Amino acid sequence: MSASFDEKVEALRRLRDKRLAKQREAEETKEHASSTAEAKPASEAREAKRNSGYPEAERQPSSSEKRADPAGPGGAGEADALFCAGHCHERGLHGCSVDLGAAA
């Protein structure tokens, strides 16, 4: 069943009202945040302003979310090091002896 024109118009009005309500709420939150920022010391306010475009910079990762060291075991750095070491042993570069077994 197709919705009538009036039903479609009413649905669009409801969507617009929801969007406007979200915008008003965001503005109120922003005003509240700016009044709270005035109470902060100047260094904290500068830091918040500097990171305002980067919401992920404001959130500190928890200990369970911390990322593994990319240069550590299993990281991209280890893969790069093994790839380079393989070439060094394969071709005898940088003081490495030619050892095809070690290169593999």
Side-chain angles (χ1 to χ4, degrees):
M1 300 282 277
S2 178
S4 72
F5 178 76
D6 292 330
E7 290 171 337
K8 291 177 183 179
V9 170
E10 185 59 34
L12 287 172
R13 284 190 184 128
R14 285 194 305 266
L15 287 172
R16 184 190 68 197
D17 291 342
K18 285 182 184 180
R19 186 186 65 211
L20 291 174
K22 284 183 181 181
Q23 286 177 346
R24 275 189 240 114
E25 184 179 316
E27 289 173 4
E28 290 172 2
T29 304
K30 187 177 180 182
E31 289 173 6
H32 176 68
S34 66
S35 66
T36 306
E38 292 171 3
K40 292 180 182 179
S43 62
E44 289 182 25
R46 276 192 305 261
E47 185 67 25
K49 185 176 180 182
R50 194 174 335 143
N51 292 333
S52 64
Y54 304 98
E56 64 276 358
E58 296 173 9
R59 187 181 68 82
Q60 297 294 326
S62 67
S63 61
S64 64
E65 289 181 309
K66 292 195 179 187
R67 299 170 90 188
D69 180 16
E78 183 183 31
D80 290 341
L82 290 172
F83 183 78
C84 292
H87 278 286
C88 290
H89 282 289
E90 181 181 45
R91 297 183 180 145
L93 303 172
H94 306 291
C96 295
S97 62
V98 177
D99 184 359
L100 297 179

